[in-house]
Amino acid sequence: MNEIEALKAEIRAFADARDWEQFHTPKNLSMAVAGEAGELVAEFQWLTEKESERSELSAEKLADIELEIADVAIYLIRLTDVLNVDLIDVIRKKLAINEGRF
Amino acid sequence: MNEIEALKAEIRAFADARDWEQFHTPKNLSMAVAGEAGELVAEFQWLTEKESERSELSAEKLADIELEIADVAIYLIRLTDVLNVDLIDVIRKKLAINEGRF
Amino acid sequence: MNEIEALKAEIRAFADARDWEQFHTPKNLSMAVAGEAGELVAEFQWLTEKESERSELSAEKLADIELEIADVAIYLIRLTDVLNVDLIDVIRKKLAINEGRF
Amino acid sequence: MNEIEALKAEIRAFADARDWEQFHTPKNLSMAVAGEAGELVAEFQWLTEKESERSELSAEKLADIELEIADVAIYLIRLTDVLNVDLIDVIRKKLAINEGRF
């Protein structure tokens, strides 16, 4: 089992233990991804492109950004779980399409 | 090397081959994640929660959703690359925080 | 009647004429706002801050941006309609809060 | 002067008084719109469509939603200011396009 599948199972167990399955419809999870992506973009909104680089970020700011990245990823992985989609597979499929397009 | 690291290297090579590194600042990539998350949520906006479930989706709609999920993931992985962040690590860190919180 | 109220009535009539009221729940309209905001941010994602200024934008790019701004506004106004919220009032209320905060 | 123009001037004065003009590039403001739209959609993510209706919302939840709507609107109006775009005009233009399309 790859690491994404391991995380998927862990996130599922976490949701199940809290009876959150009822809330985790694909529609709702797509909203959660969008909400967290909004928090991620907000971390960068007043930084210049230069200031957004790793070397320019304070340790505290970087930690905040890392947690926002994680939040997006967690809901995205949860969404692939309830939709029974293989995340690695769909990424590979999309990269192949991009190869042909650009 | 895990699969996410393999994808990260592949996405980086794709960007480099097109001279897109100049555009791929953390700030810009956070915008790309938000933009793709907007497309993902748009796929679900007029569906009921029930209609958003895998068993209710047409093959075509599911394929569209998969590609939007992939787009969010690709830019999120690219963002972790330019920030030199380990995606699996930060997810584990955030899940540990969530365990303590909920 | 102010202009926002006039637009609100017009947008409502447009939705009613197409039997879209059933889709226009507050939840769904919040998703539409997020989806259109994603398209708006995507217009700017590969531009530098300087390139994003009015004087640097081509007429065509500016027209695209204007339409994305309008899409966000249309769904936001529609959301205030179904929630029976006065947009001008809530903006004034929030600006007053901001005055005290910053 | 219509109410949107009045709000535009007020929001501009607020930003100027805090020396925020330097941060308020169109690119950055599009990010702020997306960030606030993310907070708006997050208010609704675990509600059913029925629960999202005005009659079902608590006074406190409605107040939270109103402030998120206001935040999206404030940054959208600020964006139209720095781009020198007439919001009412572009909404009318987009509604005319929609009339022809649907």
Side-chain angles (χ1 to χ4, degrees):
Chain A
M1 185 163 65
N2 70 46
E3 297 193 39
I4 291 293
E5 289 305 307
L7 286 169
K8 189 188 277 189
E10 199 176 319
I11 295 166
R12 184 193 311 142
F14 184 85
D16 288 3
R18 285 151 187 82
D19 247 336
W20 287 352
E21 277 194 313
Q22 56 182 319
F23 300 112
H24 286 189
T25 59
K27 180 184 179 86
N28 289 1
L29 291 165
S30 77
M31 298 171 79
V33 170
E36 298 297 342
E39 292 194 40
L40 178 62
V41 84
E43 288 289 337
F44 290 103
Q45 68 195 6
W46 309 131
L47 303 183
T48 63
E49 286 182 70
K50 179 71 190 156
E51 289 166 350
S52 80
E53 288 175 12
R54 167 82 188 227
S55 57
E56 306 292 319
L57 297 171
S58 68
E60 191 187 352
K61 183 72 174 179
L62 179 62
D64 289 344
I65 290 165
E66 286 178 343
L67 294 181
E68 298 303 343
I69 289 172
D71 280 332
V72 177
I74 289 167
Y75 282 122
L76 199 66
I77 291 168
R78 181 71 181 133
L79 177 58
T80 63
D81 190 23
V82 302
L83 283 175
N84 197 23
V85 162
D86 185 311
L87 181 59
I88 303 294
D89 266 10
V90 297
I91 293 173
R92 294 217 166 278
K93 199 164 143 189
K94 188 64 199 324
L95 288 175
I97 292 173
N98 288 350
E99 280 289 345
R101 187 188 294 170
F102 297 108
Chain B
M1 185 163 64
N2 69 47
E3 297 192 39
I4 292 293
E5 290 304 309
L7 286 168
K8 188 187 278 189
E10 199 175 319
I11 295 166
R12 182 192 314 143
F14 185 85
D16 288 2
R18 286 152 187 82
D19 248 335
W20 287 351
E21 277 193 316
Q22 55 182 320
F23 300 113
H24 286 188
T25 59
K27 181 184 179 87
N28 289 1
L29 290 165
S30 78
M31 298 171 79
V33 170
E36 297 298 343
E39 292 194 42
L40 178 62
V41 84
E43 287 289 338
F44 290 103
Q45 68 194 6
W46 309 131
L47 302 184
T48 63
E49 287 183 68
K50 179 71 189 157
E51 288 166 350
S52 80
E53 288 175 11
R54 166 82 187 228
S55 58
E56 305 293 318
L57 296 171
S58 68
E60 190 187 353
K61 183 74 173 177
L62 179 61
D64 289 344
I65 291 164
E66 286 178 342
L67 295 181
E68 299 301 345
I69 289 172
D71 280 331
V72 178
I74 289 166
Y75 281 122
L76 199 66
I77 291 168
R78 181 72 181 133
L79 176 59
T80 63
D81 190 23
V82 301
L83 284 175
N84 197 23
V85 161
D86 185 311
L87 181 60
I88 304 294
D89 266 8
V90 297
I91 293 174
R92 293 217 166 279
K93 199 163 143 189
K94 187 64 198 327
L95 288 176
I97 293 173
N98 288 350
E99 280 289 344
R101 185 187 295 170
F102 297 108
Chain C
M1 187 162 65
N2 69 46
E3 297 191 39
I4 293 294
E5 290 305 307
L7 286 168
K8 188 188 278 189
E10 198 175 319
I11 295 165
R12 182 192 314 142
F14 185 86
D16 288 3
R18 284 151 188 83
D19 248 334
W20 287 351
E21 277 195 313
Q22 56 181 319
F23 301 112
H24 286 189
T25 59
K27 181 185 179 87
N28 290 1
L29 290 165
S30 77
M31 298 171 79
V33 170
E36 297 297 344
E39 293 194 41
L40 178 62
V41 84
E43 287 289 337
F44 291 102
Q45 68 195 5
W46 309 130
L47 303 184
T48 63
E49 287 183 68
K50 179 70 189 157
E51 288 167 351
S52 79
E53 287 176 12
R54 167 82 188 227
S55 57
E56 305 294 318
L57 297 169
S58 68
E60 190 186 353
K61 183 73 172 178
L62 179 62
D64 289 345
I65 291 165
E66 286 179 342
L67 295 181
E68 297 302 345
I69 289 172
D71 280 332
V72 177
I74 289 167
Y75 281 122
L76 199 67
I77 291 169
R78 181 71 181 134
L79 176 58
T80 64
D81 190 24
V82 301
L83 284 175
N84 197 23
V85 161
D86 185 311
L87 180 60
I88 304 294
D89 267 9
V90 298
I91 294 174
R92 294 216 165 279
K93 200 164 143 189
K94 188 65 198 328
L95 288 176
I97 292 172
N98 288 350
E99 280 288 345
R101 186 187 294 169
F102 297 107
Chain D
M1 186 163 66
N2 71 46
E3 298 192 38
I4 292 294
E5 290 304 308
L7 287 168
K8 188 187 278 188
E10 199 174 320
I11 295 165
R12 183 193 312 143
F14 185 86
D16 288 3
R18 285 150 188 83
D19 248 335
W20 287 351
E21 277 195 315
Q22 56 183 318
F23 301 112
H24 286 189
T25 58
K27 179 182 179 90
N28 289 1
L29 290 166
S30 78
M31 298 171 79
V33 170
E36 298 297 343
E39 293 195 40
L40 178 62
V41 84
E43 287 290 337
F44 290 102
Q45 68 195 4
W46 309 131
L47 303 183
T48 63
E49 287 183 68
K50 180 68 188 159
E51 289 166 350
S52 79
E53 287 177 11
R54 166 84 189 226
S55 58
E56 306 293 318
L57 297 171
S58 68
E60 192 187 352
K61 183 74 173 178
L62 179 62
D64 288 345
I65 291 165
E66 286 178 343
L67 294 180
E68 298 303 344
I69 289 172
D71 280 332
V72 178
I74 288 167
Y75 282 122
L76 199 67
I77 290 168
R78 181 71 180 133
L79 176 59
T80 63
D81 190 22
V82 302
L83 283 175
N84 197 22
V85 162
D86 185 310
L87 181 59
I88 303 294
D89 266 10
V90 297
I91 294 174
R92 293 216 167 281
K93 200 163 142 189
K94 188 64 197 327
L95 288 176
I97 293 172
N98 288 350
E99 280 289 344
R101 187 188 293 169
F102 296 108

